[in-house]
Amino acid sequence: MPGDALSQDPAELRRRIDTTKAHPARVYDVFLGGKDNYPVDRAAAAAALAANPRGYLDVRHNRDFMRRAVTRLSKESGIRQYLDIGTGLPTQENVHQIAQRAAPDSRVVYVDNDPVVLAHARALLTSGPEGRTDYIDADLKQPAQILEQAAGTLDLSEPLALVLAAILHFIEDDEAYATVRELVDVLPSGSRLVLSHLTEDLNPENVRAVARTYHERGFTFVLRTKAEVERFFTENGLEIEEPGVVPAHHWHPDGAAPLPEDADAVDLSALDDIELVRYRDINDVTDADINVYVGTAVKP
């Protein structure tokens, strides 16, 4: 059962955590101002930020796309179930919080394979009384296992939203397209795919420099074109919803992006570039800042 992941021995979890190698979920946590990361993750984030000083906007706008997408699906499309694969570490606006704010009976299953995420997974399980959340310790490359365990919480005969946010660029083509196909195949009519993906289409010099820093740290990092991102939808018979596959900040903007943390009581001059990220306003974004395509699609 999904909840069994939380019964793992803390000592075993510690053994699984490799603090000598950066992990995408923890690097992402650094950019979101989190504290559940290690020096190697902060070094990776710092290298990426040095390569693209406004690269934090990709991470933060990807997260804000998630807020808008889940809100719209909950309020306008009646979606009450979410399967979020590649969850990452808990933040202030997790999928279940967004969904249950709009529809308290929403159910959410989170999936990740980083033991640091698992160690903090209880923070993802604070469902309201009318809904439910659960967590699966699994890799995106194990779709059959994910679906089998998710069925303990989600009704796979009813529409759900499959959320693949900023995860597919860590998987090579053959595996990525096959994995998405296997997941989408079981979704019933009316289900959605919510997807975001890094690209070099928009500002190639910046994002290629970032990609080099990640490749140097052993990450698989695939920057896909717009057509290659659209393929995740179209080859699975999904109908892409308006406004199509677009840069993250152009997908149904609502002017409600979270404001930065209050810096009045902070000596900003004492902070390094990574520490300053949490105090940056993402509302000053321009087209030259974003390297993330996003989109949603419905299964007929």
Side-chain angles (χ1 to χ4, degrees), residues 17 21 27 35 48 57 65 73 78 112 120 145 169 180 193 199-200 203 214 242 246 260 268-269 278 281 296:
I17 296 172
K21 183 179 179 181
V27 175
K35 297 180 174 61
L57 289 166
F65 158 68
L73 290 179
D112 210 296
H120 293 272
Q145 175 187 337
H169 44 248
V180 173
L193 173 58
T199 183
E200 63 179 12
N203 302 289
Y214 288 145
E242 291 296 328
V246 297
L268 297 181
S269 66
R278 71 179 63 187
D281 187 354
T296 66

Side-chain angles (χ1 to χ4, degrees), residues 162-213:
L162 170 62
V163 180
L164 299 173
I167 184 69
L168 291 169
H169 44 248
F170 296 113
I171 303 178
E172 298 287 359
D173 281 353
D174 288 348
E175 284 186 302
Y177 289 109
T179 297
V180 173
R181 185 181 311 115
E182 189 169 345
L183 289 166
V184 170
D185 276 351
V186 306
L187 301 184
S189 175
S191 293
R192 262 65 174 187
L193 173 58
V194 179
L195 187 149
S196 62
H197 199 295
L198 279 168
T199 183
E200 63 179 12
D201 284 0
L202 304 173
N203 302 289
E205 185 175 346
N206 288 349
V207 77
R208 285 173 187 163
V210 171
R212 283 194 294 271
T213 71

